Amino acid sequence: MHHKNSMQFMILFGCQLRLAQMVGPNSAHTYCDFGHSTLHMDVIHEVEMSQSHSNDEDINHAAQTNSKTSIQGFRPAPLEILDHVKINVITPETPVSTIKGILVSSKSNIEFNKKELRKADEQLSAALKEFYHKLRLLKRYSFLNLLAFSKIMKKYDKVSSRNASKDYLKMVDSSYVGSSDEVNRLLERVEHAFIKHFANGNHRKGMNILRPTAKRERHRQTFLLGLLTGCSIALIVALIILIHVRRIVNTNSEGRSKYMETIFPLYSLFGYIVLHMVIYSADVYFWRRFKINYPFIFGFKEGTELGYREVFLLSTGLAVLSLAAVLSNLNMEIDKTTQSFKAITESVPLGLVIVVLAITFCPFNIIYKTSRFFLVKCAFHAICAPLYKVIFPDNFLADQLTSQVQAFRSLQFYVYYYFYGDFKKRSNKFMEENNYKIFYIIVAIIPFWIRFLQCLRRLLLEERNKMHGLNALKYISTIVALTMRTIDQFSPGTVWKVLAASSSGIATVVNTYWDIVIDWGLLRKDSRNPWLRDKLSVPYKSVYFLAMVLNVILRLAWMQSVLGIKEAPFLHKSALTAVVACLEILRRGIWNFFRLENEHLNNVGNYRAFKSVPLPFNYQIDDEDSSDT
């Protein structure tokens, strides 16, 4: 019985919340006609308080606040509204839930288990918070307009030497914009309902959820950032000295080739990740500087988004871990007393991978748990494409993975090196096997295949826009080019080289056009800013032209493999491959900034400033009733 009453209240409140969202602050006086009866649609304004909690200071405060703002003649919505509500507690977001919703018949009565009630509770809570946020923005918008009008009139009086502002401001104050307090009343009602039903009557807790405070800069974070950055620089210097002493880069050294072909690919994985994180922190810095609303675009939970300091702190922490592992590996290899611990010495990279994975999936609330789990969730959705609805964070993360092809190949090397090879002897004979070469191609095309499946789902099941079909063909062309280049790498020949060069050239042209024109929204011939776009976040137009040139140049990095450039005078072929991979990561970092800038400007232009919050029901009017009205 308690569950039934709770669900009835939540449905009534949520139904009126949806109507309030549709009609705005005037919903306090909105009426909807159902058949032959007129139902008053107002946000539920509960003034009764439990006597058993009369001594609770927070509840008394909420009750006193509410009693001061009660409206004369208020009438709550009747229960007849439930006849027009279809319960849908679990939102169908995956094929499994969709099939389950089709096979299992819908419930005709309002009886639900605790799990379903908890889900409905979460959805209504999120809808209330978003609605409250909209009301606060509307209130600020009204205030800013009144303030602007006041300043304009004062400026007018000053320039014209007249005293006309007083009469005009009196007219504005008596207008609907200046005199209406409906937004304030809606804010207070939402506060009271949220505090009572979603914060257990705790006023302070409820208001902290509705109005989260901005994150403060912590001196401890700044100190750790400086400390880890200094440690990273010191470790890099020590590593350079040790490499020079051991003559690892010397072409005449016997152990150089063996070290670069076995140990270097293991540690280069962390170099790719650290570089990507450093560039992402730079992106976050510039997004904030040019007022690009990246938390809203990514859908981060309010107050949990990471700033550039936090991202850079994580990257320096990972850099210190990986560099310390490299140095310890080299030192144990030099020290004769550790020769008997050969297995432990060679297992240091594997231990580092285990530590990083343990931190990533750690269930405890340490090291930015919300952001870690958000990343894991997006990665899972991307891997399971096309089973999940494609949202922007999943799309964006899959694009990042396409720039980490060498990182995926390093993971493959880990598996073969430690489970199929003799890592104690640093043996890499498995690289000559056919199954390794086959998986070398498959692993590289996985990120592009994920993006292809995401585009296919959006084309066939979601938006049904032909542009997603063209985007899917773009990734197919990239897969073909990557496959041809890899085959040419393993089996050099004129035919494979021609195929690799031609397919790579086509893929480069298609991808470059898509980056600049579609993803960045540039090269608009009739634009206010020639060959750019009408609205720009960066005031310096040369930045956009420089970014386009760099994108084209960095897109051509694949030419080194087709032209047969396998080694540089002071670089081993493994190091040259790592340099090319780093250039692609740098290109992706540049792409990230302008991609989100274009998305932000599109959101502003289309007035997409709020999240669409699902509710645990569908509000419908019967056809017969609607035809009578």
Side-chain angles (χ1 to χ4, degrees):
M1 188 65 182
H2 175 68
H3 290 170
K4 181 177 180 180
N5 293 335
S6 299
M7 179 54 76
Q8 282 183 351
F9 167 74
M10 286 192 289
I11 292 171
L12 283 168
F13 192 89
C15 189
Q16 297 175 89
L17 173 63
R18 175 59 70 201
L19 288 171
Q21 288 176 332
M22 291 190 294
V23 301
N26 290 330
S27 60
H29 302 291
T30 301
Y31 291 82
C32 292
D33 186 23
F34 300 98
H36 301 286
S37 60
T38 301
L39 305 180
H40 183 80
M41 298 301 299
D42 199 353
V43 177
I44 291 182
H45 184 56
E46 298 191 356
V47 296
E48 73 281 0
M49 304 300 292
S50 175
Q51 294 180 358
S52 60
H53 297 86
S54 58
N55 293 329
D56 192 297
E57 181 180 354
D58 292 329
I59 296 179
N60 285 336
H61 177 74
Q64 292 170 5
T65 303
N66 181 71
S67 61
K68 292 178 182 179
T69 59
S70 60
I71 299 177
Q72 297 295 331
F74 171 78
R75 290 185 299 155
L79 291 177
E80 284 84 349
I81 195 175
L82 295 177
D83 297 333
H84 306 276
V85 173
K86 181 180 179 182
I87 306 302
N88 185 25
V89 177
I90 301 177
T91 305
E93 297 178 350
T94 66
V96 176
S97 58
T98 304
I99 294 173
K100 184 178 179 181
I102 295 174
L103 297 179
V104 180
S105 61
S106 60
K107 301 176 182 180
S108 58
N109 55 355
I110 310 176
E111 294 180 0
F112 303 94
N113 56 40
K114 291 183 178 180
K115 183 179 179 181
E116 292 172 331
L117 281 174
R118 192 180 303 113
K119 178 70 175 180
D121 184 274
E122 292 173 358
Q123 290 182 339
L124 286 175
S125 175
L128 271 175
K129 287 187 287 186
E130 189 63 26
F131 182 52
Y132 188 80
H133 179 58
K134 293 178 184 180
L135 290 173
R136 290 187 68 195
L137 289 179
L138 183 60
K139 182 179 178 180
R140 292 176 189 173
Y141 179 76
S142 175
F143 173 76
L144 285 176
N145 276 274
L146 294 174
L147 183 64
F149 193 87
S150 173
K151 289 185 177 295
I152 290 172
M153 292 307 303
K154 288 181 180 179
K155 188 71 175 179
Y156 173 77
D157 286 349
K158 184 178 180 180
V159 172
S160 62
S161 299
R162 297 179 60 186
N163 191 21
S165 62
K166 185 178 297 184
D167 295 331
Y168 280 104
L169 290 178
K170 185 183 296 184
M171 185 185 303
V172 172
D173 290 337
S174 61
S175 66
Y176 182 82
V177 177
S179 60
S180 175
D181 61 342
E182 292 184 14
V183 174
N184 290 330
R185 288 183 288 182
L186 272 175
L187 282 168
E188 290 163 356
R189 293 181 193 175
V190 173
E191 287 175 6
H192 176 70
F194 189 87
I195 290 168
K196 181 177 180 181
H197 297 281
F198 299 99
N200 294 325
N202 192 319
H203 183 270
R204 180 177 298 177
K205 177 183 176 182
M207 294 308 297
N208 286 338
I209 297 174
L210 289 174
R211 298 186 181 186
T213 56
K215 292 190 298 183
R216 297 179 180 177
E217 296 291 343
R218 296 181 178 179
H219 298 294
R220 180 177 59 184
Q221 185 183 93
T222 306
F223 171 76
L224 287 175
L225 182 60
L227 177 64
L228 293 176
T229 303
C231 290
S232 300
I233 296 173
L235 288 171
I236 291 173
V237 173
L239 184 61
I240 292 173
I241 295 173
L242 189 59
I243 289 175
H244 180 72
V245 171
R246 293 209 57 215
R247 298 180 180 180
I248 293 177
V249 296
N250 191 350
T251 54
N252 298 324
S253 176
E254 296 180 0
R256 181 208 184 210
S257 179
K258 198 170 186 179
Y259 185 89
M260 294 300 294
E261 291 178 359
T262 55
I263 302 301
F264 182 81
L266 299 176
Y267 287 113
S268 62
L269 169 66
F270 302 98
Y272 302 141
I273 298 174
V274 169
L275 178 61
H276 211 130
M277 293 174 68
V278 170
I279 294 177
Y280 178 74
S281 67
D283 286 331
V284 172
Y285 171 78
F286 286 109
W287 287 334
R288 285 194 171 182
R289 179 178 178 182
F290 295 105
K291 303 185 185 308
I292 295 172
N293 193 4
Y294 74 95
F296 171 75
I297 295 174
F298 285 127
F300 291 140
K301 187 177 179 181
E302 191 173 2
T304 63
E305 70 276 5
L306 297 184
Y308 69 95
R309 290 174 179 268
E310 290 88 345
V311 178
F312 192 65
L313 177 64
L314 291 174
S315 63
T316 53
L318 181 58
V320 168
L321 276 177
S322 55
L323 289 171
V326 174
L327 281 174
S328 63
N329 195 322
L330 288 174
N331 286 327
M332 286 190 291
E333 190 175 348
I334 296 173
D335 193 353
K336 296 181 180 180
T337 60
T338 60
Q339 293 299 316
S340 58
F341 305 105
K342 194 70 175 177
I344 298 177
T345 302
E346 298 299 323
S347 299
V348 171
L350 181 61
L352 182 58
V353 170
I354 294 173
V355 169
V356 172
L357 290 177
I359 293 174
T360 304
F361 293 96
C362 178
F364 303 108
N365 192 18
I366 57 173
I367 313 180
Y368 311 115
K369 176 186 173 183
T370 304
S371 298
R372 285 190 290 109
F373 278 42
F374 182 84
L375 177 63
V376 171
K377 178 183 176 182
C378 292
F380 181 76
H381 287 182
I383 293 172
C384 294
L387 300 180
Y388 286 89
K389 181 180 179 181
V390 182
I391 58 177
F392 187 84
D394 303 343
N395 189 339
F396 187 83
L397 179 61
D399 278 323
Q400 307 308 303
L401 296 180
T402 59
S403 297
Q404 288 286 1
V405 171
Q406 283 305 128
F408 278 86
R409 285 174 169 170
S410 295
L411 287 174
Q412 179 196 0
F413 189 86
Y414 265 95
V415 175
Y416 274 85
Y417 186 72
Y418 284 104
F419 297 99
Y420 294 98
D422 190 356
F423 65 92
K424 295 180 182 179
K425 297 181 180 179
R426 291 188 179 177
S427 174
N428 60 344
K429 294 181 180 179
F430 56 82
M431 297 180 68
E432 304 299 327
E433 298 178 3
N434 290 330
N435 62 348
Y436 179 84
K437 295 178 180 178
I438 293 172
F439 278 102
Y440 194 79
I441 298 174
I442 294 175
V443 165
I445 67 176
I446 285 176
F448 302 98
W449 183 253
I450 290 173
R451 285 294 293 121
F452 169 75
L453 293 178
Q454 288 180 340
C455 295
L456 210 60
R457 177 185 172 98
R458 297 179 74 177
L459 172 66
L460 301 177
L461 300 177
E462 296 178 11
E463 301 173 21
R464 302 182 186 275
N465 190 338
K466 65 179 181 180
M467 293 299 293
H468 296 304
L470 296 176
N471 199 13
L473 292 177
K474 181 195 75 173
Y475 286 106
I476 289 293
S477 68
T478 306
I479 291 174
V480 172
L482 185 59
T483 304
M484 293 297 109
R485 290 201 302 267
T486 308
I487 294 176
D488 178 61
Q489 178 183 343
F490 289 137
S491 304
T494 305
V495 176
W496 289 118
K497 192 172 292 294
V498 171
L499 290 175
S502 58
S503 60
S504 297
I506 294 172
T508 300
V509 172
V510 173
N511 280 276
T512 303
Y513 174 82
W514 197 275
D515 285 346
I516 297 175
V517 178
I518 307 300
D519 289 338
W520 293 359
L522 302 176
L523 292 183
R524 306 296 180 187
K525 185 177 180 180
D526 300 328
S527 171
R528 183 186 310 165
N529 303 298
W531 298 108
L532 298 177
R533 65 171 102 86
D534 289 337
K535 294 183 179 180
L536 303 174
S537 297
V538 182
Y540 311 106
K541 298 179 183 178
S542 58
V543 172
Y544 294 91
F545 292 105
L546 179 62
M548 287 189 279
V549 173
L550 285 176
N551 186 275
V552 174
I553 294 174
L554 295 176
R555 278 282 187 190
L556 297 174
W558 55 267
M559 291 184 66
Q560 59 86 23
S561 62
V562 175
L563 295 176
I565 304 175
K566 296 183 178 180
E567 290 194 44
F570 299 100
L571 289 177
H572 188 268
K573 60 180 181 180
S574 298
L576 183 61
T577 302
V579 170
V580 174
C582 291
L583 291 177
E584 170 59 21
I585 295 172
L586 177 62
R587 187 199 66 81
R588 180 61 61 182
I590 299 173
W591 180 90
N592 288 343
F593 174 82
F594 296 101
R595 175 67 182 91
L596 246 70
E597 181 206 17
N598 191 34
E599 184 74 15
H600 172 78
L601 294 175
N602 288 335
N603 287 342
V604 173
N606 295 322
Y607 304 101
R608 293 195 297 261
F610 302 103
K611 293 184 291 184
S612 177
V613 181
L615 290 174
F617 60 85
N618 296 327
Y619 181 78
Q620 296 178 344
I621 301 177
D622 296 337
D623 295 337
E624 296 179 359
D625 293 340
S626 59
S627 62
D628 294 336
T629 57

